[in-house]
Amino acid sequence: MKRIVMVTGATSGIGEACARRFLQAGYRVIATGRNVGRLNALKDEFRADLLPLVFDVRDREIAEASVNALPAEWREIDILVNNAGLALGLEPEYQGDYVDWDTMIDTNIKGLLTMTRAVVPGMVERNRGHVINIGSVAGDAAYANGNVYCATKAAVKSITDGLRIDVAHTALRVTLLKPGLVETNFSNVRFHGDVCRADNVYKGITPLTGADIADAAIYAAQAPEHVQIAEMLILATHQANGSTIVRRDQE
């Protein structure tokens, strides 16, 4: 039987890249997200190996019901990729938007916890499984105007470390991937659709792609069973940390 992977936020960026990479490697994928059209397009492309689930990880009731209602042949999830997340705004903390804050906290922290709570008990019961959480270099240290987003990714690191401790008596593995500058729809979302401002984020540097992070995820998943890739920091060349980026016009 093919192993089953659940990827949250699978309709774009890192999530879509992870879904595609695991499918290409011979896994079956449960792809979750809010965009019905993109999920259906993935279903049309990969057919029987992909099961789309439409829900927002912020809606705990629907998220849990969706997992509990999985068809029998899809219930034994082997790998959970907690990818759903976003950044909104880039203002000083004292000028931040309450709605943006709530959305980031509810998605990046509470949504991840909801999916972990819904899926991991089955893994523990079966004594097999792997949780791959998508964090960020932003969780290592705050950068200017990144305040709440950085805090949510720092929380993801602590939550991931805590889960790894809590399942250490089992055969489960827990991995944290911490990408640096990745060119996806991330910046368009952060700047509420301001394309010019989003494009400037990647100006003068060759950023990572979603596929680069998907490669890291598949590497961790396919490591020998006695090997646990606990944490991986993935940066673009010319990026040293969350705030140190050398662009071509600075050389």
Side-chain angles (χ1 to χ4, degrees), residues 106-152:
D106 289 346
T107 305
N108 299 358
I109 301 176
K110 293 166 70 175
L112 180 146
L113 286 169
T114 292
M115 297 309 300
T116 300
R117 183 66 179 85
V119 173
V120 172
M123 293 180 173
V124 172
E125 182 178 347
R126 295 185 295 273
N127 196 34
R128 72 174 191 273
H130 194 165
V131 178
I132 301 175
N133 289 337
I134 307 299
S136 171
V137 64
D140 287 345
Y143 54 74
N145 301 329
N147 40 79
V148 173
Y149 173 69
C150 294
T152 65

Side-chain angles (χ1 to χ4, degrees), residues 187-237:
S187 290
N188 287 331
V189 172
R190 165 169 253 174
F191 298 127
H192 301 281
D194 187 333
V195 176
C196 291
R197 194 176 179 193
D199 287 346
N200 282 333
V201 173
Y202 311 108
K203 187 177 180 180
I205 190 171
T206 301
L208 302 168
T209 67
D212 295 324
I213 310 309
D215 285 344
I218 201 83
Y219 173 81
Q222 294 186 337
E225 290 185 4
H226 70 285
V227 176
Q228 179 172 216
I229 307 299
E231 186 170 302
M232 193 183 304
L233 176 63
I234 310 116
L235 300 176
T237 304

Side-chain angles (χ1 to χ4, degrees), residues 91-97 101:
E91 299 86 21
E93 189 170 320
Y94 58 87
Q95 295 177 339
D97 184 280
W101 290 354

Side-chain angles (χ1 to χ4, degrees), residues 137-138 140-143 179-181 233 235-236 238-246:
V137 64
D140 287 345
Y143 54 74
L181 204 61
L233 176 63
L235 300 176
H238 303 304
Q239 178 178 15
N241 54 36
S243 57
T244 304
I245 300 169
V246 178

Side-chain angles (χ1 to χ4, degrees), residues 9-104:
T11 57
S12 65
I14 293 172
E16 181 180 356
C18 284
R20 290 181 176 279
R21 186 70 182 83
F22 278 102
L23 285 159
Q24 291 161 359
Y27 295 77
R28 291 192 294 157
V29 170
I30 302 167
T32 86
R34 297 175 296 167
N35 190 312
V36 178
R38 290 183 179 177
L39 286 176
N40 286 339
L42 283 172
K43 176 63 176 176
D44 290 342
E45 184 176 351
F46 292 100
R47 301 187 180 277
D49 284 333
L50 186 131
L51 177 68
L53 288 183
V54 183
F55 63 83
D56 187 331
V57 295
R58 292 178 297 171
D59 191 324
R60 181 173 297 163
E61 184 176 340
I62 293 178
E64 289 182 338
S66 297
V67 173
N68 291 336
L70 284 169
E73 64 272 22
W74 287 92
R75 285 181 188 166
E76 294 192 3
I77 297 168
D78 297 288
I79 301 169
L80 170 63
V81 181
N82 272 318
N83 163 76
L86 76 170
L88 290 170
L90 194 67
E91 299 86 21
E93 189 170 320
Y94 58 87
Q95 295 177 339
D97 184 280
Y98 291 116
V99 174
D100 285 352
W101 290 354
D102 286 343
T103 302
M104 286 186 283

